[in-house]
Amino acid sequence: MVEPSFSDRSLIKHTDYLTNARVITSSAVNITENQVLTADGNSVSFDYLVIATGHAYSTPTSKKERLEQFQQDNQKIKSSQSVLIVGGGPSGVELAGEIAVDYPDKKVTIVHKGSRVLEFIGHKASKKTLDWLISKKVEVLLEQSVDLDSISEGDGVYTTSTGQKISADCHFVCVGKPLGSSWLQDSALRDCLNENRRLMVDEYLRVKGRSNIFAIGDITDIPEIKQGFLAERHATVVIKNLKLLMKGTKENKLAKYKAASPLAIVSLGRKEGVAQLPFATMIGCLPGLIKSKDLFVGRTRKTLGLVSST
């Protein structure tokens, strides 16, 4: 959104790396004992199933539409003197940081309903991040919200839950998306969802009570920070176990997954970042060197066997 030219590298079609697979572009709407039903009326039979539906996003499905959306958002940022960001999680903080660094003359405001930004990590990392945002002249309003249903950029004035008025030329909504598990609530796996609507999995990442259905990523009930790189670790374990099961290997030989220690890196502009490590918290250029340069896009492309363009 801040640098649209970057989006071309970050948008990857599944058919670019899944060269020997069938890709169906449709939503899964139900599951039986051996079939997944899709929104377009098709059914897909399976011997083994991996559920990785993460969170529900309503973004365009084609690369062309996504690129156009980023261009539109970029023009909105460029033409505005003031920007309101609703949500102080990782997406909201990273967007605010990029705008504040690339456009230091623009007024940036974050409204967050929680008591601190980046609530998914520790208090020390949150405090360091808040101090960094304030140093970049980003206004942060905590324990307040904005009624998303009444948002309009027509008059340029937004009212928070405490009655505070905020003037902004445009806004971006960066609040958490709902889990992508609603389609499972009336399915054969409805009893495998916990009270938070996450799929319960065992140490082999199999869905509770199922020998041939696995789950990975944000949709699982694994007690750890929900991060993309951890979903990759889940996938590695599941791949091993699928190969073993297809060979007829006994259950006690399957690979086990151990919940990861708290670890997170949030980029702050182009060169800085904040990192929460198992035994330390740091902010500045070192975390930025790890993530902020290309947001792991190059590493992801390499992992998928794609040539990394610049």
Side-chain angles (χ1 to χ4, degrees):
M1 292 158 65
V2 180
E3 184 184 346
S5 60
F6 183 76
S7 60
D8 189 58
R9 292 179 60 233
S10 65
L11 293 174
I12 301 171
K13 293 179 66 174
H14 293 303
T15 50
D16 289 345
Y17 64 94
L18 291 173
T19 56
N20 190 30
R22 177 187 176 199
V23 178
I24 301 171
T25 305
S26 183
S27 298
V29 295
N30 205 344
I31 178 176
T32 67
E33 295 299 327
N34 57 7
Q35 287 186 324
V36 173
L37 309 180
T38 64
D40 55 10
N42 290 323
S43 62
V44 184
S45 300
F46 64 84
D47 295 312
Y48 295 95
L49 174 67
V50 181
I51 300 175
T53 46
H55 285 78
Y57 290 90
S58 57
T59 54
T61 55
S62 77
K63 184 172 183 177
K64 180 176 180 291
E65 290 176 319
R66 292 291 298 277
L67 291 173
E68 289 174 351
Q69 183 183 56
F70 288 136
Q71 286 285 357
Q72 292 169 4
D73 289 338
N74 181 252
Q75 287 302 316
K76 192 160 70 168
I77 293 170
K78 282 184 173 180
S79 62
S80 300
Q81 291 301 309
S82 52
V83 180
L84 168 64
I85 296 173
V86 181
S91 297
V93 166
E94 290 191 341
L95 178 58
E98 297 228 357
I99 296 173
V101 168
D102 279 24
Y103 302 99
D105 294 331
K106 296 186 186 297
K107 171 64 177 174
V108 181
T109 303
I110 295 177
V111 175
H112 183 57
K113 68 178 181 180
S115 59
R116 57 189 178 94
V117 296
L118 303 181
E119 291 172 291
F120 76 106
I121 54 179
H123 287 264
K124 187 179 291 186
S126 292
K127 180 62 168 62
K128 288 178 180 290
T129 301
L130 178 62
D131 292 342
W132 185 92
L133 290 168
I134 293 173
S135 75
K136 300 300 179 183
K137 300 181 181 178
V138 175
E139 183 179 12
V140 181
L141 304 178
L142 298 173
E143 298 183 306
Q144 298 187 54
S145 60
V146 176
D147 184 359
L148 301 181
D149 294 328
S150 64
I151 279 183
S152 171
E153 292 176 355
D155 56 6
V157 177
Y158 304 82
T159 305
T160 72
S161 54
T162 63
Q164 184 169 344
K165 302 288 185 181
I166 302 170
S167 296
D169 297 326
C170 70
H171 76 276
F172 294 98
V173 179
C174 299
V175 298
K177 305 297 182 183
L179 275 173
S181 61
S182 60
W183 66 286
L184 294 169
Q185 292 174 8
D186 295 318
S187 74
L189 299 184
R190 57 187 174 275
D191 294 331
C192 304
L193 295 169
N194 69 7
E195 64 276 10
N196 297 317
R197 298 198 303 174
R198 297 186 187 276
L199 278 172
M200 295 179 282
V201 295
D202 62 17
E203 57 191 344
Y204 309 114
L205 299 184
R206 292 183 304 192
V207 172
K208 178 184 176 182
R210 302 286 170 159
S211 60
N212 66 331
I213 301 178
F214 295 80
I216 63 174
D218 290 1
I219 200 171
T220 67
D221 70 337
I222 300 170
E224 61 188 5
I225 295 175
K226 302 304 180 182
Q227 295 278 320
F229 78 96
L230 293 180
E232 292 180 19
R233 290 187 186 177
H234 299 173
T236 300
V237 171
V238 169
I239 289 167
K240 288 180 181 178
N241 288 338
L242 285 172
K243 289 179 178 179
L244 290 170
L245 287 170
M246 290 175 188
K247 292 178 181 178
T249 304
K250 294 181 179 179
E251 181 174 300
N252 60 5
K253 299 294 185 180
L254 296 180
K256 297 180 181 180
Y257 181 80
K258 182 180 179 182
S261 301
L263 172 65
I265 302 177
V266 176
S267 66
L268 299 172
R270 291 178 179 270
K271 296 182 178 179
E272 296 183 87
V274 60
Q276 175 174 291
L277 308 174
F279 304 106
T281 299
M282 64 178 69
I283 190 168
C285 293
L286 184 56
L289 188 65
I290 297 171
K291 180 180 181 182
S292 301
K293 184 177 180 180
D294 81 338
L295 306 177
F296 299 138
V297 171
R299 182 180 68 85
T300 301
R301 294 182 66 89
K302 183 177 180 181
T303 300
L304 296 175
L306 301 174
V307 176
S308 181
S309 58
T310 55

